[in-house]
Structure formats: C-alpha cells, structure tokens
Amino acid sequence: MPEKFESDFLPVMTVRELVVFPGSITPLFVMRTKSHEALEDALARDKRIFLVCQKSPDVEDPKREDLYDVGTVGEVLQVLRVPDGTAKVLVEGGYAGRIIELSDVGNHLQALIVHNQVNVYDAQPVNALMRATSKLFEAFAELSGKVPVDLFNSIRNLKEPLAYLYAVSNYATLKIEDKQEILESNSLEEKFLLLNKALEAENQILELETKIQGQVKTQISRSQREFYLNEQLKAIERELGISGEEDPELNELAMAIEMSGMSADAREKAEKELGRLARMAPMSPEAAITRTYIEWLTEVPWNNATEDKIDLERARAILDEDHYGLVKVKERIIEYLAVAKLVGKMRGPILCFVGPPGVGKTSLGKSIARCMDREFVRISLGGVRDEAEVRGHRRTYVGALPGKIIQSMKRAGTVNPVFLLDEIDKMSSDFRGDPASAMLEVLDPEQNCEFNDHYLEVDFDLSQVMFLTTANSMEGIPHPLLDRMETIRLPGYTEDEKRHIANRHLIPRQRSEHGLKAAQFRMSKGTLTHLITGYTREAGVRNLERTIATLCRKVATDVIEHPRKKTGTLTKEKLREYLGPVNFHDTQLERKPDIGIANGLAWTNAGGEMLQVETTIMKGKGNLTLTGMLGEVMQESAKTALSYIRSRAVELEIDPDFYAGVDIHIHVPEGAIPKDGPSAGITIALSLTSAVARFPVRQDIAMTGEMTLRGRVLKIGGLKEKALAAHRHRIRTIIIPRDNLDDIEEIAEEVRNQLTFIPVESLDEVLDLALVRPRRVAKKQVKGRRTHAQLGN
Ligand code: ADP
C-alpha cells in the first residue's frame, strides 16, 4: 500500500492482543459497535483504517491512555458479515503510524496519524543482524513446528530488511509488548536487536518445553496406550453386551481363592495379584501370567486331605495280594504303618527301597498308598540336575512353572498323598544348582512344613505327605539324604519266585489287559521256566512282564485271525515261534574246564551279574593290556594279581621268567558296559594264573573276592545279588571270602539250599579249588623247585 500522506485522519479500530505489522495480511473479528462504525467509515472512504493495540485486553471502551502510541495503517481487503452481527475482516498492514491526536467522533474513534518512519541505517550491521535473525527464526520454526515450509521459504526470500523484520515479527510467537516495541522503534538496528532478543528467549523456552515433553512422553506413552486400548476394549465389550463392569473371570478367581482354603500368606498374595489383574488389559501377556499364577495358587491342595484308614489286617492282605514273597519288606512296611497309626502322624525315617529294576519298588509304593487309602504320586529324579526342576522357576522367567514337587501335589489333589521319589541315586548336580539340597528340604520333617517353591513364592506344607524313595544302588545317594532314610534291600528274585510272580500276578494282569480268557493263555511250569531262563535274564521281573505282554499280543492276534483254533496252551515251540530263538543258553554246567577263563560275580545297578574274565598270553615284550571298559580299581586288581603271581612263581609252578618274552591281555566281555570294583580280584588272578601255567579252570564254579598283593582274600558287598546271579546261570558252587560267611543267612532259602558256598582266605585256596592240575605231580615239582632254589644260595 503506498504511503499517501505524511499525516492523516483515519478511523481507528482498536485490537486486543494483536500487533498488525506492515506487510502482513491479518483476519480480524469485528465485534464492538465502535469498531463496526470505524469499519463502515473506512469503507465509505478509501478503505484505510488505523489498527492499534490496547494496552490491556480487558478494556471495553478504550480511551487515548488505554492505547499504545504506534499502530499500523492498513487497508480493508475483504469484509464478511455474519448474521449474528459480527464481521470478519481481512486487512493488509501498510505502514507504521503514530497517533498525534485521538478523538471520539460520535460513535467511533478517529486519529491524526503520522508515519512512524525508520531512520537512515548502515547496511552492514543491519545485514549481520538480519543474518542472526535468520538463524534464530530457523531454529524457531524447527522447535515450534508452527511455521509451514512454504511460508518459511517465502519469508527467507524477502531481501528488504524491514519487510523481512516485520514478516518474522509477525509469524514468530512473541509477547505483545515485544512486538509493540519492535513496531514502535525508529531505528532498524534496534528493531532487529529487539526481535533477536525476543526470538532467543522464545527459542530457549521452546527447547526446554521439547525436552520436558520428551521425558514425559516416554514415561507415559506406554501406560497411556494400554489405558487407551483398555478403555476401548471395555467400550467394545459394553457395546456387545459381553460384560458390565463386573468381569466374570475375576469373580471366578475370587471365588476359587475363597474356596481353596489356602494359607493366610498365600491368600494375601493371591488377592493382591487379583487386584493387579483387574487393572491389566485382559489380553496382555502380563495378565495371562498373573492369571496362571493365581490359578496355581488356587489349584494346589491346601487342606484337602484323605482320611487314613490304617488296619494292619487289611494292609497285610493288600500287600500279599499285590506282591508275592518279599516277606521282610512287607513286615517292615507293616511296622511302619503300625507306628503311623499309634503316633497319628507320618514321622520316622523315610523308607528307601534299594534294588535292581523290576523288583517291585514302585509297585510297593502304590500298595502302601492303597493300604492307607491315600492318593499316590510318583516323580522320577533320574537325570535331574537343575534345582529348578524340583523347586520351580521364578515367575520372572518366561514360561515359568512350579517344580516337580508342587506339580505332583496338584496332581495328587490332596495334602497327604504317598509320594514316591524314584531313582534318588540318579540325581546329579551342576552349575544350575544342587537338586539334592532341595530334596533335603523336601524330606526333612523339620523343614518341609515350609517348603518354598520359587514359582509359588509362598510356603507350602509338605509335612503330611508320606515320602518313599527308590534307588538302584546306595552309592549314588547323596550322604545327607541317606542319613534321613532307612534303606530296605530288594535283591531280586529266584527262578522259583519269578515263576510264582508270573503265575499269580503278571500273567493274570497281562491276560486281562489284552482281553484274553484264562483258557486262551496258559503255560505249563516247564514252559514258564523256559521263558524265564531262556528269554529273560534279570534280577527283577520287568522284562518277564514285557515278554508276557508280547506273547499276549501274539496270542490275541491269533485268536482273532483263527477263531476256530482251540488250544490256548503255550509250548516251548510256540515260544520259539512267537519270540524267536532263546536269548540265553544254559551251557555253563556242561562247559569243560578251559584255560584262561574264570567266572566272576559282579554287582551292578541291574542286580547281580556273572562276568567272565579271559586272559591270553602271546609273544611280546612284557606288556599288560586290559580291555572291556574296566575302571581304575579293576585295572589295579589286574596289576596286583600279576605282581602276586610273579612274586610267587616258584610256588605256583610257573617259570619265574614267564613275563619276559610275552604280552598279557586280559579282557572282560560285554565291553560296552563299564565295570569297576575290587571284587573281581581273585577271578582275574585265577584267569591269569591259568593262562600262564596252562592249567584249565573249572567252569562250574563262580567266585567273588578282593585280593591283596600278598594273596589274602578280602570281604566284598552284594553277596545276595551275586548268589542270585550265579543261581540264574546254573552255577552251583561259589567261592566267597571267609569274612562274608555271615551274609549267607540273608540269601533266599531256595538259592541257599541249592548252592555250595566255599569260604576262602587266600588265593592259593582259590587256585586249589578252581584249577584242574595233577595234584601229586604239582607238589613234587614244588618241592623240587624249592630245593633247587636253596641249592642256588
Ligand atoms: P521297580 O520300581 O523296582 O523298577 P516295578 O515296581 O516297576 O519295579 O515292578 C515291575 C513290575 O513287576 C510291576 O508290574 C510289578 O507289579 C511287578 N512285580 C515286581 N515284583 C513283584 C512281586 N513280588 N509280586 C508281584 N509283582 C511284582
């Protein structure tokens, strides 16, 4: 707009909280009557109007003193009248003007205005100031985000300093006082300085704001989002009529907590978690975790107990019904029950059944539960190496669950089940913690009323549980655990016992499980013995039961395919047809004496076993080779035996230099099974002597005994199991250390009666018994050699 006059009378429109700058196009809402009149006046003339800001926005009818001195002369570009009497006006700022005189002309204000000019200025400082402004404005645009890119670019393109200054002043959000000062100043440098100062202050505030906002935003955005989604979900549910404010699932959980009878601690915990759950988004993973946790708390049995019915008469009947034999074991169980009945509590040591697989350890546990009318649960500790398997993972783990103990308690559904811990000797420990120490807490009556599962977090009372344990051997049981247990040995069964077990228990059970009638599956005593000795060779009856199951399947198939065939009696030929050729031959008795081979008796996790020790001698340089996965102790036994024979070569009628030109190889077959222990000592020595002296060894004798370097025979363990093994192999004579004589008592009568036990104290006795050598000649030779030796002196 051209500056038409140096001074002029113009209609005045007062504006609130707004400084209209020259060069800007500004929309104004006209509401007050005086402003309307001024507008009308302007429109009636040349559309020019003086726009000036009130010092205070609250004044309705401002006088001279209420107005700033400087305003802007503008031109009305457009008027838009609204029916409610207001008008929207678009004005373009022309130039800054200063009021000289103001007068009220009837219904609006009018003023004499002079141009508020800018003094002459130096281009250089102005340019520098302008550049600073440019930077500050750019920062402002970025920080505030309120300057559209197009607008920003067009402002940047303004080359004329004053126009640029006004444009920036217009668009930057500055205080009214600052804007007014900029408009009023007559010095361009000062105007820029004022603008820059205001911009800088503004930028600082903006920066601070952004920083604070950023912090707050990260803090609340997640919970805001969840809250928002939650509210939406609730709204959707309400629309669908799925739920009112009450969540049926929460009610159910609350009810379950109420009904569970949980401890005060657990209850407090459960209710707290329930409260948290109510505030969570129902579909969130966290809610799922919390829900599962509460469910666990409500589902473990807190006070649901079965009533013990201990009637010794009935208990005896049940034990006899479920198991054949095992007289001593059953008696011990009856004693245990009697004490439990008197004391009214499960105190006293924990019973541990020790024995090879398949001797009925687990099924005894089940029978005990039946005797007492308790629930039965069983866990296997074999291979458990992580404490968390026993005690659970903390809830912070993904997919955490309670440990085996609590899981089984839930399965039992009562606080007082019979709880069988199988294979307690097979636990191991590593960096993940020691499961044995957790087990100690489980089994210790002083501690187990407050068993702490990591997942459950609250204490659980295990004191009413009757714990039983099983193990294959006592060696693997950690000592502190062993201290708390009373071990009951189940050495295995004789052939006769196995037959009875098969007839009374295994065959009837398998028959009924396979839907066969008694007439469809029968076996004579002879056939059954053949099945036991020819197809299975074990201490227990597990394979026997499995083989009977196999036969039942074959017979069942036959019955379906050939319904007319009548005979249900199994013969040896039938066994061969169904099971193939026998696995084990009874050849031991018939075998002739043999050089370098001796029958040893060993004791393994699978019960007693007979192992043959073989020795061969070949040309060589005096090397001793041992094969067959022999442990260190067994290797030492072999070296001891060799040293003994060398030291006694003369007495043993062996060439004292036999060792020089030969290599000796000792092997114990079934090389894939690791073997160790000292009790093979005399067997190795016998085999070695036989090989060196070329005298054969009797094959109808088996033996066990540790040997010293001087040829004394020492006591061994597991005689019961070893005797059974020898018996199984049809051996009838066994050589045992004299110190083991007392153990013969414990061997099953049937076996004891059929075996001849020969106690020995020295290896010489062993050699005399087992080597086949022409005695008379031998003695003479020995004498002769001695004389020879003496002559040599
Ligand atoms: P373990 O736990 O000692 O390895 P189990 O208890 O699993 O052995 O026994 C294997 C099978 O043999 C079971 O079916 C069990 O009922 C049966 N059994 C073992 N001993 C006897 C016995 N004395 N009388 C009857 N059945 C037995």
Side-chain angles (χ1 to χ4, degrees), residues 342-376:
L342 279 184
V343 180
K345 243 185 184 178
M346 275 304 129
R347 282 279 156 169
I350 285 144
L351 298 184
C352 176
F353 299 124
V354 182
V359 290
K361 302 184 293 296
T362 313
S363 65
L364 271 174
K366 280 190 200 155
S367 298
I368 294 175
R370 205 152 80 85
C371 290
M372 303 175 80
D373 251 359
R374 287 187 175 208
E375 293 294 326
F376 174 79

Side-chain angles (χ1 to χ4, degrees), residues 679-735:
S679 71
I682 58 170
T683 322
I684 294 173
L686 172 64
S687 158
L688 193 57
T689 314
S690 156
V692 174
R694 313 289 315 156
F695 291 130
V697 180
R698 279 173 61 181
Q699 296 300 304
D700 57 343
I701 296 183
M703 66 217 65
T704 174
E706 182 177 351
M707 193 189 83
T708 68
L709 195 53
R710 311 289 298 273
R712 272 193 310 119
V713 178
L714 303 182
K715 192 174 176 171
I716 47 82
L719 188 63
K720 270 198 276 189
E721 287 83 355
K722 289 174 178 173
L724 275 174
H727 188 258
R728 259 204 313 278
H729 284 265
R730 298 264 182 271
I731 299 276
R732 291 297 174 255
T733 309
I734 55 180
I735 298 173

Side-chain angles (χ1 to χ4, degrees), residues 391-404:
R391 222 193 257 285
H393 281 290
R394 297 196 186 278
R395 259 195 299 153
T396 41
Y397 276 78
V398 178
L401 276 183
K404 283 178 176 234

Side-chain angles (χ1 to χ4, degrees), residues 319-326 330 353-367 378 420 422-423 470-472 490 493 497 500-502 504-506 509-510 540-543 545-546:
L319 289 174
D320 284 341
E321 188 181 311
D322 290 351
H323 294 92
Y324 173 83
L326 302 176
K330 286 178 187 168
F353 299 124
V354 182
V359 290
K361 302 184 293 296
T362 313
S363 65
L364 271 174
K366 280 190 200 155
S367 298
R378 155 181 186 270
L420 186 85
D422 235 345
E423 303 193 312
T470 80
N472 285 146
L490 287 86
Y493 298 114
E497 283 174 325
H500 280 114
I501 294 172
R504 289 190 201 172
H505 300 277
L506 309 182
R509 182 160 62 227
Q510 291 304 328
V541 290
R542 187 169 288 171
N543 279 329
E545 184 167 23
R546 211 173 289 149

